Amino acid sequence: MVEYQYLPLEADEIRLLQIAPGDYERQELKAYINVTSSLYKALLRVRDQATSTVQLLWADAISINQKDVFERNTQVRLMRRIYEYAHTTWIYLGEEADESHRVPDLIARILEVDKRLFNTGLALTFTQLPPLGDAYWKALNALLRRPWFSRVWVIQEAALAKNGIILCGSWNLLFKKFSEATAFDLHQSHEIDVLKIPASALGRQQLNGIEIIRRNVDKFRRLNILGLLKNARMAWASEPVDYLYGILGIAQEGEEIALQPNYSEPLHDTLRRYAKHFVMTERAFEMLGYVNCAMWAQGQPTWIPSWASHSDCRTMWGLALDSNFNAAGSSSFEMTLVDNAEMNAFWLVAKGVLLDSITVAGYDRRSERDQMAGSTISSLPRDQIKHWLLEPDYLMSKAGCRSFYRTVNEWADAKASTIVVRNNPHKGYDDMTCYHILTNDVPPPSNRDDRISYEQSILDFISSLYGAMDWSTLCVTKNGLLGRVPYGSEPGDMIVIFAGAKLPFVLRRRQGEGVGYMVLGPCYIHGAMHGEFADALKSPKLIDLLLN
């Protein structure tokens, strides 16, 4: 038996597999292609689904000649059309293990409970769902930890599928139903969302991103590539450039010449090519919003986000996109790219003002938070949460300054707003009330309806608190402002507002022979988020800030 020999493809051609019914244990092959064990088992399971008809399949690992760089470049551009036109997209999760046979029944029960809650608007006792710790939940959580949920290429595959079907051993399930039942922040019930499936589970984070993309693809057809890169931050790719190329098919800019796949290009050049595109299309601040100093790319300017790596490092930029923050007021975008190979320069020069500097930075609370994942309203570690909420008072005393606000109520509001960094109104109690309840041990109301609102608001508040801990720590500035800044920020780092930017940023002046500033990431400074310092951004007060 000889190895299969690929023939060149013409423009817009693809290569399909023809799978015929038969007994795979007895039939001999005339040629072979090296594939992974997972793909081999997947093909067998797909053939089992149709025992009397020939099936035509496209599988990237086989249908694309992986040794031909030119073919890989051209075929990646066709992937969107392939998934859009496919009658069925098979999603193989592996063979049955860890009691995975329980999952289809659990998914059906979750969707039924959620449907009833949506239709009635009433809180349910959820007797239809298994209790905490039950084998059904363990089986689902084990399934969500399987490798498929961590791969970057599956994002566009699942988001674009007209008829996605999950295969797991002998059972199958519509991907749409599975995703809707397990992606968090999509349920009517926080009982389903918070109590049953840990939000920290990698599979849930990937599914949540896919579900958001899938719903938007259905509505808007294509999404902003920077937003897609944010939703794909937890995914994994065997080649670093695939963190970028793997989501091009569902991006608005997917046809832009400057962003096309080039597997022969060094990663260093690819990252700069993408960064240059965002600067030239006046999306530099949105790009800067995804910078996190914990994930600076080696050998790259600090203003280029670390897209080409598996990362759980988040920033608050997503919040900026969904809020009315406008730190720079009505000032206009002013930024220039310096690209000079002879000088080894790839710099951004941005207009802005040095607003303040950090005096005291808080603590990294992520490990403490992760120990509390899955807490219910009755099991919340209130003493620990109260300790977190009172941290601003400690930092203020350590900084040797009092609040810049004039009244106690305004100071409490500053603490509540800064702790959770949430700018949009929500149903139930406001953030200041939740802060007061948790720091003063206020018991829940006796009235049933009021108690439901109380519990919902507290869980919302805690969820926002946990979310803020993903990307930031508290700080106090030299001028007594309270804020949240990226992990890794230090006393002496500068708070800057760039002309035209929604958010302030944290910069660090280069030491020694270096010039300019390093970018640590976006931040939240209470009292500077809505144009309060916009007058300082009017010429001639603006200065040039060189970012490198």
Side-chain angles (χ1 to χ4, degrees):
M1 186 166 57
V2 298
E3 185 174 6
Y4 175 78
Q5 298 298 310
Y6 285 92
L7 297 176
L9 294 173
E10 298 294 333
D12 290 343
E13 280 188 338
I14 61 174
R15 205 176 275 114
L16 297 176
L17 303 174
Q18 187 180 66
I19 299 185
D23 187 340
Y24 59 81
E25 292 182 350
R26 297 180 182 176
Q27 300 215 356
E28 294 184 3
L29 299 175
K30 296 180 180 179
Y32 72 89
I33 296 176
N34 289 316
V35 298
T36 64
S37 173
S38 176
L39 177 55
Y40 174 70
K41 292 176 182 177
L43 293 175
L44 298 183
R45 286 296 182 183
V46 169
R47 178 158 67 174
D48 290 345
Q49 300 298 310
T51 57
S52 61
T53 59
V54 173
Q55 297 186 75
L56 292 177
L57 276 85
W58 181 89
D60 58 350
I62 297 177
S63 298
I64 300 175
N65 183 356
Q66 302 297 324
K67 297 177 181 179
D68 187 332
V69 173
F70 178 78
E71 182 172 309
R72 291 176 69 192
N73 290 342
T74 55
Q75 289 287 295
V76 166
R77 300 174 191 176
L78 299 176
M79 282 188 176
R80 178 185 179 90
R81 291 161 60 188
I82 292 170
Y83 289 122
E84 282 186 325
Y85 285 105
H87 177 271
T88 300
T89 299
W90 299 104
I91 297 169
Y92 179 69
L93 299 185
E95 295 300 293
E96 291 185 30
D98 302 313
E99 299 191 83
S100 56
H101 64 278
R102 297 177 181 272
V103 171
D105 179 54
L106 178 59
I107 295 299
R109 292 161 74 177
I110 291 174
L111 293 176
E112 178 60 27
V113 168
D114 210 38
K115 178 181 177 182
R116 287 180 58 196
L117 186 63
F118 179 78
N119 289 336
T120 64
L122 299 176
L124 304 177
T125 59
F126 304 102
T127 54
Q128 290 180 290
L129 296 179
L132 285 175
D134 186 88
Y136 280 88
W137 296 110
K138 291 180 180 179
L140 178 56
N141 285 326
L143 190 72
L144 290 170
R145 288 193 291 270
R146 295 199 181 192
W148 183 89
F149 295 99
S150 64
R151 295 171 183 153
V152 71
W153 283 106
V154 307
I155 296 174
Q156 66 171 347
E157 168 188 329
L160 294 172
K162 290 189 297 186
N163 183 36
I165 300 178
I166 287 176
L167 288 178
C168 182
S170 60
W171 61 264
N172 62 71
L173 181 68
L174 285 175
F175 176 80
K176 181 179 179 181
K177 289 186 176 181
F178 182 83
S179 181
E180 288 177 348
T182 54
F184 57 95
D185 294 336
L186 300 173
H187 293 294
Q188 298 298 315
S189 165
H190 273 256
E191 292 290 329
I192 295 176
D193 178 40
V194 177
L195 304 187
K196 307 301 184 183
I197 314 171
S200 59
L202 176 60
R204 290 200 70 203
Q205 295 184 38
Q206 177 83 316
L207 273 176
N208 192 56
I210 291 173
E211 186 62 19
I212 291 171
I213 292 168
R214 187 180 68 80
R215 294 184 177 200
N216 281 283
V217 165
D218 287 346
K219 187 175 182 181
F220 304 114
R221 303 306 297 162
R222 293 209 180 191
L223 302 173
N224 180 307
I225 190 172
L226 286 169
L228 289 170
L229 288 168
K230 167 181 170 287
N231 281 317
R233 65 178 179 270
M234 287 296 294
W236 178 87
S238 57
E239 294 190 47
V241 290
D242 284 340
Y243 287 99
L244 298 168
Y245 299 159
I247 48 88
L248 268 183
I250 44 178
Q252 291 174 349
E253 308 90 334
E255 305 300 326
E256 293 280 350
I257 295 176
L259 303 180
Q260 292 310 301
N262 183 354
Y263 282 97
S264 62
E265 180 181 54
L267 174 62
H268 177 276
D269 294 341
T270 302
L271 291 175
R272 294 194 174 199
R273 173 162 59 90
Y274 270 63
K276 184 174 183 177
H277 171 78
F278 296 131
V279 174
M280 302 308 292
T281 54
E282 297 191 356
R283 296 173 61 196
F285 287 129
E286 189 176 351
M287 175 185 66
L288 286 175
Y290 295 111
V291 170
N292 189 305
C293 58
M295 291 298 296
W296 278 331
Q298 187 175 6
Q300 292 284 15
T302 61
W303 56 269
I304 297 180
S306 181
W307 291 308
S309 63
H310 175 78
S311 170
D312 189 20
C313 290
R314 311 173 194 186
T315 75
M316 70 167 294
W317 191 253
L319 181 68
L321 299 179
D322 298 329
S323 71
N324 62 351
F325 291 144
N326 189 22
S330 60
S331 59
S332 301
F333 169 95
E334 293 189 53
M335 187 170 286
T336 304
L337 176 66
V338 178
D339 184 4
N340 189 317
E342 293 182 2
M343 296 174 56
N344 193 29
F346 198 71
W347 304 333
L348 275 183
V349 180
K351 296 287 187 180
V353 293
L354 297 174
L355 175 68
D356 210 334
S357 61
I358 297 174
T359 301
V360 178
Y363 306 98
D364 187 336
R365 301 290 191 186
R366 285 174 291 187
S367 60
E368 298 176 20
R369 175 210 61 188
D370 291 344
Q371 295 173 4
M372 303 179 188
S375 297
T376 69
I377 189 67
S378 59
S379 67
L380 281 174
R382 298 203 173 213
D383 288 343
Q384 182 65 64
I385 290 172
K386 183 177 180 179
H387 179 68
W388 291 346
L389 299 181
L390 294 177
E391 185 177 356
D393 296 299
Y394 169 75
L395 293 178
M396 276 289 183
S397 64
K398 189 175 179 180
C401 60
R402 294 185 177 182
S403 166
F404 61 97
Y405 282 96
R406 297 180 180 179
T407 69
V408 175
N409 286 338
E410 287 176 330
W411 169 227
D413 181 49
K415 287 191 289 186
S417 299
T418 306
I419 285 166
V420 299
V421 196
R422 181 167 51 182
N423 192 47
N424 291 330
H426 60 290
K427 295 179 180 179
Y429 303 165
D430 60 23
D431 291 340
M432 186 173 172
T433 302
C434 292
Y435 175 88
H436 174 75
I437 289 171
L438 290 167
T439 53
N440 292 279
D441 302 315
V442 177
S446 57
N447 179 276
R448 179 178 177 275
D449 291 338
D450 291 342
R451 187 170 64 254
I452 291 173
S453 179
Y454 166 94
E455 293 179 355
Q456 183 78 61
S457 298
I458 295 299
L459 287 174
D460 279 348
F461 185 82
I462 298 300
S463 176
S464 294
L465 174 61
Y466 284 1
M469 289 180 180
D470 277 337
W471 61 269
S472 65
T473 185
L474 289 164
C475 80
V476 178
T477 71
K478 183 178 180 180
N479 292 327
L481 302 179
L482 185 64
R484 276 200 169 273
V485 292
Y487 288 118
S489 300
E490 300 173 353
D493 288 340
M494 307 300 299
I495 307 296
V496 173
I497 299 180
F498 295 116
K502 285 177 171 286
L503 304 175
F505 283 78
V506 181
L507 304 184
R508 181 175 297 161
R509 192 184 301 273
R510 285 195 176 274
Q511 303 297 320
E513 298 179 359
V515 296
Y517 295 87
M518 297 182 289
V519 182
L520 279 73
C523 64
Y524 173 95
I525 303 297
H526 197 78
M529 303 303 294
H530 300 284
E532 293 90 338
F533 297 91
D535 286 346
L537 290 163
K538 296 177 180 178
S539 298
K541 297 181 180 179
L542 284 179
I543 60 174
D544 287 329
L545 298 166
L546 190 151
L547 313 179
N548 53 22

